[in-house]
Amino acid sequence: MTNLTAELGRLDDLAIEVPSWAYGNSGTRFKVFGTPGTPRTVQEKIADAAQVHKLTGLAPSVALHIPWDKVEDYDALSAYAADLGIGLGTINSNTFQDDDYKFGSLTHVDAAVRRKAIDHHFECIDVMDATGSRDLKIWLADGTNYPGQGDMRGRQDRLAESLQQIYARLGDDQRLVLEYKFFEPAFYHTDVPDWGTSYAHTLALGEKAKVCLDTGHHAPGTNIEFIVAQLLRLGKLGSFDFNSRFYADDDLIVGAADPYQLFRVMYEVIRGDGLGGDSEVALMLDQCHNLEEKIPGQIRSVLNVQEMTARALLVDRVALAEAQNAGDVLGANAIFSDAFYTDVRPLLADWRESRGLPADPMAAFAASGYQKKINDERVGGTQAGWGA
């Protein structure tokens, strides 16, 4: 088995972007629970996100969602984040909450609605210009609920045309990452339901277009690590949205339900050169915390990714290749499984302490008094949440 001590240096390249919306009130379609201390402004979201990086050293940037995080002065917002030790990252568009988008946005039959959706993405690119963000992430709720409701082929044609206009507006150092989701809120067909559809559109667009893989956006039993390996092989994996699921797009803490899956995914990321200073693969969380506390939920999530990355680094790839080439089925599986079952937590605690971080970030946050402080201070106003 590979010596983890020799590999620990590679963990310095691990950066996991946190989403601003994780700190607001969010949950199921049935109930969103309000909680004390919930941010009321994007600045308060950024302040909470900064706590995650301060205690873990793993989350140096926060993704914004437009228009939820829209401000008048993005230079001032960037400076505010920098003063807290983090940066502004991916800009996420929103074409799923306006009444005009009831029957689609970039795929809508009405050219005026498509124009509105395209112009919104132009606005997002303007935000990227102001913040220095590299990635524009697009997730579409577009689709239909019933057979015959819409022309599926025509919707793909309109989507391709709309994406081409958005792509043409990108700067030289900017990217478009197209997310996919196999169902919800459209239940009969979704316009970008799988990695193949996202790949086809981004391939047609060009080198600055990549696929965003959300680990919760697949049918049960899908081999997600195969998709990761394939997209890395094709040079089209742009980013991850990490979360955990049981049935649908549950947006739970990554690694909570199936840490072995997260381990397998991170092994393919490492094997495909997706981890490192030269990698263009962005790692991000996309989670909502409805029952659990929000900041600890994000801390636990980035720690889970780090732990499974460390275990994946333990895989003896030379021995594994030898066993695979020799047809040693059980031997190869044992090499892979042994790395997963190795308890790396003490070594990771040492890694943190050697970098001036608390050995136990969860305990450190609980002892910091930060949650009580924001509970006491953030009284009045409108709490941030879905649509806010």
Side-chain angles (χ1 to χ4, degrees), residues 92-374:
N92 294 259
S93 63
N94 182 319
T95 56
F96 52 86
Q97 290 193 311
D98 288 4
D99 286 345
D100 285 343
Y101 300 139
K102 182 177 181 178
F103 296 119
S105 60
L106 296 180
T107 67
H108 204 289
V109 294
D110 188 335
V113 176
R114 295 199 305 277
R115 183 74 263 159
K116 175 181 175 179
I118 293 167
D119 286 344
H120 168 65
H121 287 90
F122 288 172
E123 178 190 12
C124 289
I125 295 172
D126 290 341
V127 174
M128 294 167 65
D129 292 339
T131 61
S133 302
R134 180 186 64 174
D135 288 350
L136 169 65
K137 188 169 67 180
I138 301 176
W139 172 75
L140 299 173
D142 296 24
T144 62
N145 281 352
Y146 297 98
Q149 175 186 332
D151 179 350
M152 291 188 290
R153 178 168 176 168
R155 294 173 72 94
Q156 288 297 303
D157 291 340
R158 293 190 290 272
L159 174 58
E161 180 183 354
S162 297
L163 289 174
Q164 286 169 2
Q165 294 185 54
I166 297 167
Y167 183 84
R169 182 70 176 267
L170 293 173
D172 292 341
D173 298 323
Q174 294 173 338
R175 306 191 308 177
L176 181 158
V177 286
L178 182 60
E179 191 173 350
Y180 59 89
K181 184 177 181 181
F182 81 110
F183 86 104
E184 192 188 36
F187 292 100
Y188 169 62
H189 107 276
T190 305
D191 287 314
V192 189
D194 51 42
W195 73 272
T197 303
S198 180
Y199 173 74
H201 280 290
T202 56
L203 184 66
L205 290 172
E207 288 298 317
K208 294 187 293 185
K210 306 288 183 179
V211 177
C212 173
L213 188 155
D214 186 305
T215 53
H217 287 185
H218 305 87
T222 299
N223 189 322
I224 298 174
E225 57 269 29
F226 170 79
I227 301 172
V228 172
Q230 185 74 299
L231 288 173
L232 281 168
R233 173 178 167 270
L234 297 169
K236 276 295 182 180
L237 181 60
S239 63
F240 280 95
D241 278 0
F242 282 123
N243 53 51
S244 182
R245 54 155 293 159
F246 288 99
Y247 300 107
D249 183 20
D250 303 331
D251 278 351
L252 302 176
I253 290 173
V254 61
D258 188 356
Y260 190 41
Q261 180 190 74
L262 179 57
F263 163 82
R264 300 191 309 263
V265 166
M266 291 312 300
Y267 173 76
E268 291 300 335
V269 170
I270 293 166
R271 185 177 183 275
D273 295 325
L275 177 68
D278 296 332
S279 171
E280 294 188 350
V281 179
L283 307 181
M284 200 188 96
L285 304 180
D286 182 9
Q287 299 174 187
C288 301
H289 302 292
N290 193 33
L291 303 179
E292 68 275 18
E293 292 183 334
K294 299 168 180 40
I295 299 172
Q298 291 287 281
I299 292 173
R300 172 51 57 204
S301 295
V302 297
L303 292 177
N304 284 353
V305 176
Q306 184 188 44
E307 181 177 346
M308 292 306 125
T309 302
R311 293 191 192 191
L313 287 168
L314 271 177
V315 175
D316 188 335
R317 290 166 58 182
V318 173
L320 181 61
E322 290 174 353
Q324 291 169 340
N325 292 335
D328 185 354
V329 175
L330 295 180
N333 178 249
I335 292 168
F336 202 71
S337 297
D338 284 348
F340 171 70
Y341 284 112
T342 301
D343 186 0
V344 298
R345 290 173 296 179
L347 282 170
L348 291 178
D350 292 342
W351 180 90
R352 284 188 281 272
E353 288 190 317
S354 71
R355 286 155 178 78
L357 300 166
D360 185 345
M362 293 289 286
F365 177 76
S368 70
Y370 183 85
Q371 189 66 53
K372 183 180 185 307
K373 177 177 178 290
I374 62 176

